[in-house]
Amino acid sequence: MNNLLIFCVLLIVNCSVTYATKYQYWENLNDSLKSSFIHSTNIGDNLKNLYNHQIYLTDDDASRAILDTLCTQVDGNKRMFYFHMLNDVVMHADGALAEMLAEYCFKYVSENSDYVLYYFSLHSDISEKYALLIAAELYYKDISYTDYLKELTSSVKDDMTKNYLPLFIKKIETNMKQIQD
């Protein structure tokens, strides 16, 4: 009987872990794994310096090059790291940098919708920032809101993110109305 109980507990834990780790994020790594990644992966000095807060982005060409790198399609630990760094930049950006970031947020969410929206469902503060920047990009670049919604909706494949999508869309709509007023 004890073995059956242990087996059931292990099965439940394994199922929970599998479900909970469908998407991996930088914040979920322990410090040792983060340090190992930073020191063993070729991410370049600029990203290492940005990570260590030794440089800060502005609205110049060097910052644009870093943002281009952060929005590159990659998998695994690089994906987690790049997304984390983009989020860090978004959370601290203002002025001209924030205006420049809008196109990068727009692009990143469009190209990584399930991954990003699942994260947003767990982190409303960053979700708000992205929604504002995406709304600004739609408004100031005169991009069709309807077309964007169709594209975003069709790109979402995961049931978990489909449930969150209406809330994120509402955040974008609210921000667009504020920008228009």
Side-chain angles (χ1 to χ4, degrees):
M1 186 67 173
N2 262 348
N3 288 339
L4 180 59
L5 180 61
I6 291 171
F7 174 76
C8 289
V9 168
L10 289 175
L11 182 62
I12 290 169
V13 167
N14 188 37
C15 288
S16 297
V17 168
T18 301
Y19 183 75
T21 59
K22 180 171 187 164
Y23 300 111
Q24 293 292 323
Y25 300 101
W26 185 256
E27 298 82 34
N28 302 118
L29 298 179
N30 65 39
D31 290 340
S32 175
L33 288 172
K34 289 176 185 177
S35 178
S36 175
F37 172 81
I38 295 296
H39 292 95
S40 67
T41 306
N42 183 17
I43 57 171
D45 289 339
N46 283 337
L47 289 181
K48 286 180 185 177
N49 291 336
L50 183 64
Y51 179 74
N52 291 316
H53 303 285
Q54 295 170 339
I55 64 170
Y56 299 95
L57 300 186
T58 61
D59 63 337
D60 62 5
D61 288 340
S63 295
R64 189 171 289 282
I66 290 172
L67 290 169
D68 286 339
T69 299
L70 294 179
C71 289
T72 303
Q73 292 295 309
V74 292
D75 290 319
N77 289 345
K78 262 192 177 177
R79 180 185 194 183
M80 287 188 279
F81 178 72
Y82 286 4
F83 183 54
H84 169 75
M85 292 309 303
L86 182 61
N87 290 344
D88 189 53
V89 171
V90 166
M91 289 302 289
H92 297 99
D94 59 2
L97 176 60
E99 290 176 21
M100 186 173 83
L101 270 175
E103 70 181 275
Y104 290 98
C105 292
F106 181 89
K107 177 183 189 241
Y108 201 88
V109 171
S110 296
E111 293 176 356
N112 301 280
S113 53
D114 283 319
Y115 184 73
V116 172
L117 291 173
Y118 182 75
Y119 185 85
F120 288 171
S121 72
L122 303 172
H123 303 276
S124 64
D125 55 336
I126 192 73
S127 171
E128 295 289 340
K129 294 274 192 172
Y130 272 80
L132 174 61
L133 292 169
I134 289 170
E137 183 72 0
L138 291 168
Y139 182 77
Y140 292 115
K141 297 277 177 81
D142 201 25
I143 299 169
S144 167
Y145 177 69
T146 305
D147 290 346
Y148 177 70
L149 288 184
K150 286 179 188 174
E151 179 185 324
L152 185 59
T153 302
S154 68
S155 71
V156 173
K157 307 293 184 222
D158 190 287
D159 287 338
M160 291 183 298
T161 53
K162 282 181 184 177
N163 291 333
Y164 178 72
L165 182 60
L167 180 59
F168 187 64
I169 290 171
K170 184 69 176 162
K171 289 178 183 187
I172 294 171
E173 286 176 359
T174 301
N175 283 299
M176 284 191 70
K177 287 178 185 173
Q178 290 175 350
I179 291 169
Q180 292 170 343
D181 291 342

